[in-house]
Amino acid sequence: MNPSTRYRDMRYGITRVKVDTRDNGVQYVQAEVPLDTYPQRMTDKLLHWSRVAPERTFLARRKRLSDGTSGDWEHLTYAQAVTAARRIGQALLQMNLSADRPVVILSENSLEHGMMALACMMVGIAYCPVSPAYATLSKDFDKLKHILRTLTPGLVMAADAQRYGAAIQACVAQDVDMVLVNGDIARPHKRFSELLQTDDTPAVDEAMHTTHADTVVKFLFTSGSTHLPKGVINTHRMWCANQQQMWQSMPVLGEAAPVLVDWLPWNHTFGGNHNVGLVMFHGGSLYIDDGKPVPALMQETLRNLREIAPTVYFNVPTGLEAIANAMHTDDVLRKNLLSKVRMFFYSGAALAQPIWDSLHAAQERELGQRIVMGTGLGMTETGPFGIFVPRPEVESGDLGLPGAGLQLKLVPVGDKVEVRYQGPNVTPGYWRAPEATAQAFDEEGFLKSGDAVVWRDATHPNDGLRFDGRIAEDFKLATGTFVSVGPLRARIIAAGAPYVQDAVITGLNMNEVGALLFTTPRVRALCPLPDSAPLSEVLQHPSTVAFFQDLLNTLAHQATGSANRVTRLLVMSEPPSIDSGEVTDKGSINQRAVLKQRHAWVQAMYAGTANGLLTPATL
């Protein structure tokens, strides 16, 4: 097939960079193309589309039925969104709220969540969507209590009294106003429906006109894998500039009103800034997907993709793998999903080559062409978009080139190179955390990411950057031997394909290197057990154990020394959790969070008492 016709057409906006290399080895990298002008406030885009396309769907979600299932789609148009935002905004203005007394939202993605966020944005009141896990899965609510102490909210909105009641009782002070969407609690509160019935006044317009580019829109908290979460300040300038950068790197976003089918949570920057933002910026439609890339919920995602044809599609590797597998036998899914999509996108996480091959096979079967798989790198503190691959032939680990107006600073740190950021999309800092803010920026005002990168080809910088792990992930064994996590992790994933999704390297202050493995859904093909069998049984089946034993033997045989010799391995039956911080906002595995959350497993692995522990037969 001719390379020019191998992929469905997609233009790239940023393909060349300027590189300034200093005598100390530091490099400054920026796009040759300048950043175009952008709106001062995201509110301006919302109002624009309410005038230009008032009846177009902005948000949609399936109705929740009394039996717990989902029904038909319920739509919120751009005109309805503005009306709701004005009415709720009027009610908020009467509650003495501000950035110092913001709104905290305890809710999954929903129409009510969206309307509350838009209302806050409309009248200049900062808000913070909190990870539902902090209020539903936690037993001590430590992270939620920390967030509330940091923010001192004036109002807390909760989606459901039963689901969030215990957290409210334990964490929300009595002098904080409460709004509930569903249910009741034994304390004064308002119903969300009451706010929607408020008559708006010119005070809404007056409040909106006082907002500006540096007005705080929201706070997004980091995962807090090693410390308590930090509140990243998100301003209108930061959000709008980042959307303009995305558009210039990915012109496809503005070629037609984008349609998204998306589950990524709004308390994370990928879902709440990147995806909600691009829909609002370009007048698109976001269909809230109540599915997730876990076995119990994946069928809901597939159901939605059979009905709604996205123009761009975002997911994490486990979700993309499940979709790829389903498309080979589900003709309706394959036809609808591929009918309009111009780009698939994953961010940061390792995407095994067999998943790429499976997606491409389904695409070529249906279209005779492939769909571009986009990827890049960013972080909560950069809005999150930062770097994007400028070509269709993408390899796992590719990151690409910086967006327009964003300058990268590549700084040697030991034997790695850290990427740092400076631009209008970079946060001004962490809320009420001056020391953490000072530590996050270097002497030139560049944000220190902790991400390590390398050039694909140092003599051809326009080929872009590749991911080289996290600076803080690397460690020393008790022997003093330095372990470089990124390359070792990549080698394990490649050797274990298509059954290994990701690997977490262990061995800090130990004598030997080990690994915790997370599998792909295809691991079930290694044994004859039915699909209904628990994953733990699949992993304990002799044929599955034999595969991973062979893998470990191979890795041991290929090792060149103690720094890359894996001497013990545990295959995890529980996948990494986004809610627990084990998966970062950009979709990559958070090595430190996994090691913290699964500390007991690691200790048992080195004590030789872990159930399922494998050691190489070649030792």
Side-chain angles (χ1 to χ4, degrees):
M1 183 179 292
N2 189 310
S4 64
T5 60
R6 191 177 190 183
Y7 289 86
R8 180 175 278 177
D9 180 58
M10 195 182 95
R11 294 188 299 118
Y12 293 91
I14 305 296
T15 59
R16 299 185 61 81
V17 291
K18 297 180 289 185
V19 180
D20 177 12
T21 303
R22 305 293 172 86
D23 292 340
N24 59 0
V26 173
Q27 293 184 308
Y28 296 84
V29 184
Q30 60 186 15
E32 288 187 353
V33 177
L35 180 63
D36 290 341
T37 57
Y38 51 88
Q40 294 300 294
R41 306 171 299 184
M42 284 298 286
T43 326
D44 300 335
K45 299 300 293 187
L46 176 66
L47 294 175
H48 168 78
W49 293 112
S50 72
R51 294 188 297 266
V52 172
E55 299 307 311
R56 182 181 298 164
T57 294
F58 173 36
L59 299 174
R61 187 190 186 198
R62 291 190 185 276
K63 294 180 180 179
R64 306 298 93 191
L65 303 180
S66 58
D67 62 359
T69 61
S70 57
D72 294 333
W73 292 99
E74 184 177 6
H75 297 259
L76 182 73
T77 67
Y78 276 90
Q80 291 170 334
V82 169
T83 297
R86 291 185 62 88
R87 290 181 174 179
I88 299 169
Q90 178 68 50
L92 298 181
L93 288 174
Q94 300 166 10
M95 298 182 190
N96 190 30
L97 302 170
S98 64
D100 292 314
R101 299 184 73 249
V103 174
V104 165
I105 300 175
L106 301 178
S107 174
E108 291 76 8
N109 299 355
S110 70
L111 300 185
E112 294 83 6
H113 182 158
M115 287 185 275
M116 177 59 79
L118 294 175
C120 291
M121 186 174 71
M122 179 79 70
V123 297
I125 296 170
Y127 70 96
C128 176
V130 175
S131 171
Y134 295 171
T136 58
L137 299 181
S138 175
K139 295 180 180 179
D140 55 21
F141 304 118
D142 277 355
K143 288 185 177 180
L144 178 59
K145 290 176 181 177
H146 165 72
I147 289 172
L148 296 179
R149 283 195 304 267
T150 302
L151 295 179
T152 60
L155 172 68
V156 172
M157 181 190 109
D160 183 79
Q162 182 176 0
R163 181 163 167 74
Y164 294 99
I168 293 169
Q169 182 177 355
C171 305
V172 181
Q174 290 294 321
D175 61 349
V176 175
D177 288 330
M178 282 294 314
V179 170
L180 291 172
V181 178
N182 295 304
D184 293 289
I185 54 176
R187 61 175 285 171
H189 62 276
K190 296 179 183 294
R191 302 303 298 267
F192 182 82
S193 56
E194 294 178 44
L195 273 59
L196 269 178
Q197 294 168 4
T198 307
D199 292 328
D200 63 300
T201 72
V204 172
D205 299 295
E206 294 171 8
M208 182 176 62
H209 290 147
T210 64
T211 63
H212 49 81
D214 294 315
T215 297
V216 178
V217 179
K218 62 171 125 174
F219 305 105
L220 292 175
F221 276 78
T222 59
S223 61
S225 58
T226 55
H227 304 284
L228 286 171
K230 299 188 292 287
V232 179
I233 300 169
N234 285 250
T235 65
H236 279 287
R237 182 193 311 279
M238 178 180 169
W239 202 2
C240 291
N242 203 225
Q243 288 298 322
Q244 181 64 38
Q245 291 168 326
M246 289 167 55
W247 188 11
Q248 289 185 235
S249 288
M250 299 178 280
V252 65
L253 299 179
E255 292 176 359
V259 175
L260 271 62
V261 179
D262 192 45
W263 66 269
L264 290 160
W266 295 345
N267 58 280
H268 285 270
T269 187
F270 192 5
N273 273 8
H274 190 286
N275 293 356
V276 172
L278 78 86
V279 167
M280 195 185 316
F281 203 82
H282 297 286
S285 303
L286 191 154
Y287 289 80
I288 298 170
D289 176 15
D290 285 318
K292 274 190 176 182
V294 296
L297 297 174
M298 196 63 209
Q299 287 303 316
E300 181 69 8
T301 291
L302 299 179
R303 173 194 181 193
N304 293 333
L305 291 174
R306 292 185 193 102
E307 292 186 20
I308 308 300
T311 59
V312 290
Y313 187 70
F314 303 89
N315 213 323
V316 295
T318 52
L320 291 172
E321 179 171 21
I323 290 167
N325 292 338
M327 280 199 294
H328 288 295
T329 56
D330 190 329
D331 294 344
V332 175
L333 171 68
R334 187 178 63 252
K335 183 177 182 62
N336 193 65
L337 172 57
L338 300 180
S339 62
K340 298 179 181 178
V341 70
R342 300 286 299 283
M343 178 179 67
F344 283 80
F345 189 104
Y346 81 99
S347 182
L351 190 65
Q353 190 61 45
I355 302 177
W356 295 67
D357 296 341
S358 183
L359 282 167
H360 287 157
Q363 294 159 2
E364 290 175 342
R365 173 183 171 186
E366 183 69 29
L367 305 172
Q369 289 181 307
R370 296 178 176 183
I371 304 297
V372 165
M373 176 67 79
T375 190
L377 183 69
M379 53 195 302
T380 307
E381 291 87 342
T382 64
F385 180 83
I387 306 173
F388 180 72
V389 178
R391 61 184 178 279
E393 296 287 357
V394 181
E395 297 176 356
S396 183
D398 284 350
L399 299 177
L401 304 175
L406 177 65
Q407 188 174 36
L408 307 182
K409 181 180 179 181
L410 307 185
V411 181
V413 179
D415 65 347
K416 286 186 176 288
V417 174
E418 181 186 26
V419 60
R420 301 179 181 179
Y421 303 94
Q422 188 175 78
N425 59 305
V426 176
T427 181
Y430 303 110
W431 187 246
R432 294 173 173 166
E435 291 185 4
T437 298
Q439 293 170 2
F441 294 87
D442 69 13
E443 68 284 353
E444 291 186 300
F446 281 81
L447 177 74
K448 296 182 284 188
S449 72
D451 287 324
V453 298
V454 294
W455 290 108
R456 292 185 86 248
D457 183 343
T459 63
H460 295 87
N462 293 328
D463 289 349
L465 296 163
R466 288 181 56 82
F467 190 62
D468 194 33
R470 294 276 298 169
I471 299 293
E473 287 176 354
D474 294 345
F475 60 87
K476 288 184 179 179
L477 297 172
T479 59
T481 302
F482 191 80
V483 177
S484 183
V485 168
L488 179 56
R489 172 174 161 264
R491 185 160 66 88
I492 294 172
I493 294 170
Y499 307 113
V500 174
Q501 177 66 55
D502 223 319
V504 172
I505 309 303
T506 67
L508 175 65
N509 297 325
M510 299 293 184
N511 290 323
E512 298 169 327
V513 174
L516 305 179
L517 294 192
F518 295 99
T519 61
T520 71
R522 293 181 68 176
V523 74
R524 292 180 175 275
L526 290 173
C527 73
L529 293 177
D531 291 342
S532 59
L535 180 58
S536 58
E537 293 183 11
V538 172
L539 297 180
Q540 293 167 11
H541 192 278
S543 60
T544 308
V545 172
F547 170 81
F548 285 104
Q549 185 65 66
D550 288 344
L551 169 63
L552 190 52
N553 292 340
T554 299
L555 291 170
H557 178 72
Q558 295 173 345
T560 58
S562 61
N564 58 23
R565 184 182 181 87
V566 182
T567 67
R568 60 204 69 216
L569 182 152
L570 274 178
V571 186
M572 297 282 95
S573 60
E574 289 294 326
S577 167
I578 290 179
D579 291 331
S580 298
E582 293 182 327
V583 178
T584 70
D585 293 342
K586 54 183 176 281
S588 58
I589 197 81
N590 187 329
Q591 297 265 332
R592 297 178 73 179
V594 171
L595 293 173
K596 180 181 178 181
Q597 295 288 334
R598 304 177 193 236
H599 177 72
W601 280 108
V602 176
Q603 294 300 109
M605 181 168 68
Y606 280 92
T609 59
N611 183 32
L613 174 65
L614 296 173
T615 57
T618 53
L619 282 179

